[in-house]
Amino acid sequence: ANEALEHDDAAFALLIVGSAPQGIAHASTNSYRYAATQFAPPAKAPLAISLVIFGGVLSAVLGPEVSKYTRESMPTEYTGTYILLTATWAAQAAVMLLPAFKPAALPNQTADSAEKE
């Protein structure tokens, strides 16, 4: 019985350690809606926020559906789900590094003065 408990303790510790990066990633993605307003022209800020929120809602619908198929895709339950989740975060990070973001100018600024700030 002790061996089973030790295995469960190790698995739980691994789950916590493995979930920490996911928590960090969730915290950063929650700030995307604010970042969207920084890089969109003021007239398009509502659209930018709406698109970010739409992406979050779409993910909330698709995520559980995808996990149904990845849950038992590997010998240990949910391993495939965590691998797919990690790959998704890595792809997202790579995509976010591609554009050279420049802050949009405020109505009383020119684009050059916005870049200097």
Side-chain angles (χ1 to χ4, degrees), residues 24-74:
I24 293 167
H26 280 295
S28 68
T29 56
N30 283 334
S31 66
Y32 286 175
R33 69 191 108 175
Y34 304 111
T37 62
Q38 290 288 317
F39 300 109
K44 297 211 177 197
L47 175 63
I49 293 170
S50 297
L51 289 173
V52 171
I53 292 174
F54 172 73
V57 170
L58 187 63
S59 297
V61 171
L62 292 178
E65 293 301 315
V66 170
S67 73
K68 287 179 186 177
Y69 298 102
T70 58
R71 175 180 174 181
E72 295 176 348
S73 63
M74 301 190 86

Side-chain angles (χ1 to χ4, degrees), residues 53-110:
I53 292 174
F54 172 73
V57 170
L58 187 63
S59 297
V61 171
L62 292 178
E65 293 301 315
V66 170
S67 73
K68 287 179 186 177
Y69 298 102
T70 58
R71 175 180 174 181
E72 295 176 348
S73 63
M74 301 190 86
T76 304
E77 192 175 27
Y78 290 109
T79 301
T81 303
Y82 275 95
I83 289 172
L84 181 63
L85 183 63
T86 301
T88 303
W89 289 119
Q92 177 184 348
V95 167
M96 293 303 287
L97 291 172
L98 292 176
F101 290 111
K102 295 179 183 169
L106 296 174
N108 58 352
Q109 288 182 318
T110 64

